[in-house]
Amino acid sequence: MKAIKGLVVTGALALAAMAHAGSHGMSVDALLEKAAAANANAKSLGYEWTITAPAIKNAQKALAAGNADEAKALAEQALFWAEASVFQGENEGQSWEMRVPR
Amino acid sequence: MKTLTQLTLALSVAVSGAAFASPEADQKAFQKFYESRFSQVAEGDFINGVYSILPAAREQWEAIEEFPPYEPEVEIGEELYNTAFANGKSFADCFDTPAQRENYPYWDADREMVVTMERAINECRTANGEKAWGWKKGKIAALSAYMSYESRGQEISVTIPEGDEGALAAYNAGKEMFYTKRGQLNFSCSDCHMYGAGLNARADTMSPAFGHASHWPVYRSKWQAMGTLHRRFGGCNTNIRAKPFKAQGPEYSNLEYFLTYMSNGLEFNGPGARK
């Protein structure tokens, strides 16, 4: 049962990765805006990860310092984490009851 | 074919059972889970956390308990309890006795919230014109250590008032918190402290959640100080890279309500000492 659950979540995270693969042509600003919105959504679900907001901040810093490549990589990372945490929240809200012992 | 039918049956029972389970049924199944998984643990001994299932580490811990690291804090707490506020009143005007553990956490139907002992301590202060203490360590932990010490041996007997939808919702929110996977590492409390109890996470063996609420606050050698249960919740959330919730906010108060209710029937034995 546990292995199956693990698979489902891995699947959800993979989906999140695919969703974000569609964001490659985006500017760093647009990526960051999207990441911040997704992170706010994760927070409202109660599923914010500790690493997302710092990654957004670091991307902004890198952008301000003129390190465009680093900024883009960090922003993509942040967006991936933000979207994955939203997936987690939506998925868990549905499926946690299967873990309650009977 | 027979096994298939059994499996289908088991699954449908699991699903429908989970949806409609009463707190009483939850509690029974929860306690049974640990009692059958750790059948070697003597009745009532889950209050000793990981030491209930690790005989080797227990000896060392019992040696520590002979000169308990929380003792100075208990003394500080006693002094705090007996020191008058600026208005001349003291905690003794809020509580009939310092031995209060058995009364918390409880559902306050008027305010529609779970009230923990730490919350009651700070509400006593603010009602008397004093500033609230920080929630996770320091004075609140010292006073709560003293009050827990005075409460040793009381039975955990949290109630979910019959027919009170708010109380049931708070209980269910705490239950959901316990079983949902969180953080980048994608773990639930139950992954570690139920299905993983007795297994190792890095250098630590993970304790059973049955008994988790019995012995707070705790002197932790890692903290070199006392900390409250909500401080520990925050640490366990942060470790899996889930943003922790505020100590004494509704999320952790509801979690405490659920977790303490799951341990009904055990004894309060705080304060505790842990690694």
Side-chain angles (χ1 to χ4, degrees):
Chain A
M1 190 57 124
K2 200 156 166 241
I4 295 175
K5 295 275 348 146
L7 264 179
V8 171
V9 173
T10 315
L13 297 183
L15 261 178
M18 279 156 59
H20 130 276
S23 59
H24 267 316
M26 291 169 71
S27 71
V28 175
D29 279 333
L31 285 170
L32 285 177
E33 200 174 309
K34 209 171 160 191
N39 198 39
N41 189 7
K43 183 179 178 161
S44 72
L45 292 170
Y47 283 80
E48 188 181 357
W49 295 358
T50 54
I51 50 179
T52 313
I56 293 175
K57 232 182 219 155
N58 289 337
Q60 286 163 337
K61 267 192 211 152
L63 193 62
N67 302 327
D69 288 352
E70 191 194 344
K72 178 140 193 180
L74 281 165
E76 282 176 344
Q77 178 74 269
L79 177 57
F80 171 70
W81 284 336
E83 290 185 339
S85 59
V86 171
F87 265 96
Q88 183 184 52
E90 287 171 347
N91 185 63
E92 284 301 300
Q94 304 281 318
S95 55
W96 63 271
E97 289 192 342
M98 297 172 74
R99 267 171 234 130
V100 181
R102 292 290 110 213
Chain B
M1 196 50 165
K2 189 163 164 234
T3 42
L4 192 63
T5 321
Q6 275 173 347
L7 185 66
T8 319
L9 244 175
L11 276 176
S12 58
V13 168
V15 171
S16 61
F20 300 109
S22 66
E24 294 79 25
D26 282 346
Q27 186 189 79
K28 217 169 152 196
F30 184 97
Q31 299 189 355
K32 204 177 113 215
F33 175 91
Y34 292 99
E35 282 161 355
S36 51
R37 178 152 179 173
F38 301 105
S39 54
Q40 79 278 15
V41 172
E43 197 181 336
D45 201 52
F46 282 106
I47 56 178
N48 295 315
V50 78
Y51 307 110
S52 67
I53 58 170
L54 283 187
R58 185 174 184 127
E59 267 177 46
Q60 205 187 351
W61 171 71
E62 280 174 348
I64 290 173
E65 281 278 346
E66 280 181 32
F67 303 96
Y70 47 76
E71 207 166 68
E73 301 278 340
V74 170
E75 281 166 22
I76 293 170
E78 179 170 13
E79 217 174 293
L80 289 168
Y81 190 87
N82 292 312
T83 304
F85 302 132
N87 67 2
K89 297 201 167 168
S90 75
F91 286 106
D93 291 287
C94 299
F95 303 115
D96 54 354
T97 148
Q100 287 294 327
R101 264 293 165 197
E102 65 184 349
N103 299 320
Y104 299 92
Y106 74 92
W107 173 252
D108 183 330
D110 293 336
R111 293 193 288 165
E112 302 222 318
M113 66 189 291
V114 169
V115 178
T116 64
M117 194 174 88
E118 285 76 14
R119 173 169 293 283
I121 288 172
N122 259 343
E123 287 182 347
C124 178
R125 288 183 57 77
T126 50
N128 284 290
E130 301 285 325
K131 255 181 69 180
W133 287 327
W135 289 120
K136 291 197 280 196
K137 54 187 174 180
K139 288 185 173 150
I140 205 154
L143 180 55
S144 135
Y146 167 64
M147 293 171 74
S148 291
Y149 189 77
E150 293 294 310
S151 314
R152 278 188 173 183
Q154 289 179 345
E155 186 180 325
I156 302 179
S157 53
V158 175
T159 53
I160 321 286
E162 191 83 33
D164 187 323
E165 278 179 31
L168 188 62
Y171 166 85
N172 278 327
K175 177 177 165 187
E176 180 169 345
M177 177 73 75
F178 185 80
Y179 289 106
T180 40
K181 291 175 184 283
R182 288 162 189 277
Q184 188 198 22
L185 302 193
N186 202 36
F187 278 111
S188 65
C189 310
S190 60
D191 285 337
C192 289
H193 291 295
M194 182 162 234
Y195 303 106
L199 306 178
N200 285 357
R202 299 209 192 111
D204 292 311
T205 304
M206 296 179 288
S207 54
F210 186 28
H212 257 176
S214 71
H215 54 279
W216 296 88
V218 156
Y219 183 94
R220 259 192 101 185
S221 35
K222 188 185 155 199
W223 292 334
Q224 291 284 306
M226 311 277 311
T228 61
L229 179 58
H230 291 204
R231 181 179 182 189
R232 185 53 127 145
F233 288 166
C236 275
N237 272 157
T238 308
N239 283 345
I240 52 164
R241 302 192 193 136
K243 187 112 192 257
F245 296 95
K246 286 206 174 78
Q248 299 296 329
E251 295 87 359
Y252 285 170
S253 297
N254 293 342
L255 179 60
E256 178 175 342
Y257 192 47
F258 165 77
L259 209 53
T260 315
Y261 179 79
M262 286 297 108
S263 288
N264 270 6
L266 296 178
E267 277 184 7
F268 281 112
N269 63 334
R274 295 287 189 271
K275 258 204 324 191

